[in-house]
Amino acid sequence: QQNVQQSPESLIVPEGARTSLNCTFSDSASQYFWWYRQHSGKAPKALMSIFSNGEKEEGRFTIHLNKASLHFSLHIRDSQPSDSALYLCAVSTYAQGLTFGLGTRVSVFP
Amino acid sequence: AQTIHQWPVAEIKAVGSPLSLGCTIKGKSSPNLYWYWQATGGTLQQLFYSITVGQVESVVQLNLSASRPKDDQFILSTEKLLLSHSGFYLCAWTGTYNNQAPLFGEGTRLSVL
């Protein structure tokens, strides 16, 4: 049974700062790694994904994966108030769907 | 373009009453379909998934059942609601390739009183 843990539980950062979110997983056979963002009362939306070890950058967002350490992370450069949301990491294997972490609530203040 | 529609948007139901929630995906044949549940302030818990018509796999039942009567339709139901069923129910789909991000519908907010 996959176990996905996120840290920290919550984060308050000033506008313009770097935000770093962490996710660990337990199943070494996991293949696909996702970050979702969920604004209050809305459905989660996929933000970024990574499938092999290393780093991937898209705009202000960077995702790192280290399968040997069972760890991946999301970094947000130049955080904006609109980035305030619940961030969920998720892991999947084959077609069975995603296992989500408990989430990190991010608040960016101007 | 593919669209996913959930119904109803919100429900207020009494304990012990039946429930049926629906999800339809348009513009995609043979999608993989998923039901998730999110308690208020909680994480997303996968309930069921289906990769083909008539076949549904349970992940966590929570006294709920699911069916896939058509290729583009996924139904979540129960005969008797519990207080613990309250929350946000989300349907999601992916295509054939497992590296596609599951895309969520807008969800159904359920309050059981």
Side-chain angles (χ1 to χ4, degrees):
Chain A
Q1 185 82 1
Q2 178 79 267
N3 183 21
V4 179
Q5 300 285 331
Q6 284 189 244
S7 63
E9 287 185 13
S10 63
L11 209 47
I12 302 174
V13 297
E15 184 175 358
R18 175 181 165 94
T19 299
S20 294
L21 310 175
N22 297 293
C23 188
T24 60
F25 54 97
S26 60
D27 185 355
S28 58
S30 300
Q31 297 180 300
Y32 307 106
F33 306 88
W34 312 93
W35 284 98
Y36 279 76
R37 181 163 71 182
Q38 185 178 27
H39 288 103
S40 183
K42 302 293 187 182
K45 293 197 184 303
L47 201 55
M48 284 187 76
S49 62
I50 192 165
F51 309 137
S52 55
N53 278 332
E55 177 180 301
K56 180 176 163 185
E57 183 176 332
E58 290 179 2
R60 296 184 295 112
F61 299 88
T62 303
I63 190 171
H64 290 268
L65 172 63
N66 184 330
K67 284 190 180 182
S69 300
L70 304 176
H71 174 266
F72 64 112
S73 59
L74 178 71
H75 304 274
I76 307 172
R77 176 172 50 84
D78 187 25
S79 300
Q80 300 296 307
S82 56
D83 294 328
S84 298
L86 180 68
Y87 287 78
L88 295 156
C89 68
V91 180
S92 70
T93 307
Y94 306 115
Q96 287 95 328
L98 299 172
T99 301
F100 284 87
L102 291 177
T104 295
R105 191 159 298 281
V106 174
S107 298
V108 181
F109 63 94
Chain B
Q2 299 88 2
T3 59
I4 181 167
H5 173 63
Q6 283 189 244
W7 74 91
V9 172
E11 279 267 46
I12 300 175
K13 303 278 279 185
V15 170
S17 62
L19 175 75
S20 181
L21 305 180
C23 170
T24 297
I25 171 86
K26 295 296 183 190
K28 175 66 185 174
S29 61
S30 304
N32 296 333
L33 295 173
Y34 308 88
W35 277 111
Y36 288 86
W37 171 73
Q38 187 176 34
T40 302
T43 192
L44 286 155
Q45 172 68 64
Q46 187 181 352
L47 301 176
F48 300 94
Y49 70 93
S50 170
I51 60 175
T52 192
V53 176
Q55 287 187 20
V56 176
E57 300 296 328
S58 171
V59 178
V60 174
Q61 283 194 325
L62 299 181
N63 293 306
L64 297 166
S65 60
S67 64
R68 186 167 176 179
K70 300 182 196 177
D71 185 53
D72 64 351
Q73 196 172 79
F74 206 17
I75 306 295
L76 184 70
S77 60
T78 183
E79 296 280 322
K80 197 176 276 194
L81 278 166
L82 306 172
L83 282 174
S84 57
H85 285 136
S86 292
F88 197 31
Y89 288 84
L90 291 148
C91 179
W93 75 274
T94 64
T96 307
Y97 300 104
N98 298 324
N99 60 357
Q100 179 187 357
L103 298 175
F104 288 88
E106 293 307 308
T108 295
R109 194 160 299 281
L110 174 67
S111 297
V112 182
L113 305 176

